[in-house]
């Protein structure tokens, strides 16, 4: 259901770090939003070092953006962002000042996964039961 994109300069993340980040992003999302792990998508986008800037200067940040379904309580969305931020710092070893987490939300009805319109938050169990994925 959600999709997270980790954007970094090429070579700044090892394969092991990527795997650890993907696992921890999935775990955090599942714990907070109560969806099956198989529905959490994590992709990595690596850009050439000469294509990444912060403050107009070459930089090597780690930026995590995510799309989640609108309707989760704000305190859960804030907790999600904070836990994701802590995880990327802990796992990547990057200084917190070089990291950013941005979550964007949209209506569930605006997204389709596996040919099915996504359920509203709180309706996952029924949706999974109807689709035979439970």
């Amino acid at each position: 259901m959600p999709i997270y994109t980790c954007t970094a300069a090429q070579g700044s993340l090892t394969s092991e770090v990527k795997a650890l980040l993907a696992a921890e992003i999935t775990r955090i999302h599942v714990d907070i939003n109560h969806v099956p792990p198989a529905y959490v998508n994590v992709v990595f986008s690596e850009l050439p070092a000469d294509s990444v800037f912060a403050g107009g200067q070459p930089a090597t940040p780690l930026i995590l953006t995510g799309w989640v379904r609108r309707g989760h309580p704000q305190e859960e969305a804030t907790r999600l962002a904070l836990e994701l931020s802590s995880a990327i710092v802990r796992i990547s070893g990057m200084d917190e000042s070089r990291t950013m987490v941005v979550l964007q939300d949209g209506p569930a009805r605006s997204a389709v996964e596996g040919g099915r319109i996504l359920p509203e938050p709180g309706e996952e169990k029924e949706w999974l039961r109807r689709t035979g994925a439970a």
Side-chain angles (χ1 to χ4, degrees), residues 56-72:
Q57 300 297 316
T60 55
L62 176 56
I63 302 168
L64 178 65
T65 56
W67 181 88
V68 296
R69 293 169 296 145
R70 184 170 294 147
H72 292 285

Side-chain angles (χ1 to χ4, degrees), residues 9 12 16 20 34 41 43-44 52 56 73 76 86 88 116 125:
S12 63
E16 180 183 11
L20 291 169
H34 314 291
N41 300 281
V43 298
F44 290 86
V52 184
E76 288 180 10
S86 177
I88 64 173
R116 301 179 307 263
K125 286 182 183 178

Side-chain angles (χ1 to χ4, degrees), residues 4 11 15 22-24 36 39-40 52 56 75 77 92 99:
Y4 291 97
S15 294
E24 188 64 355
Y39 286 100
V40 180
V52 184
E75 59 274 2
S92 72
T99 66

Side-chain angles (χ1 to χ4, degrees), residues 75-97:
E75 59 274 2
E76 288 180 10
T78 300
R79 180 176 153 224
L80 180 62
L82 287 168
E83 287 193 26
L84 291 169
S85 178
S86 177
I88 64 173
V89 168
R90 183 178 71 253
I91 293 168
S92 72
M94 287 190 175
D95 187 89
E96 187 175 38
S97 67

Side-chain angles (χ1 to χ4, degrees), residues 24-39:
E24 188 64 355
I25 289 166
T26 299
R27 184 198 65 75
I28 291 167
H29 190 93
V30 167
D31 286 353
I32 293 174
N33 288 329
H34 314 291
V35 299
Y39 286 100

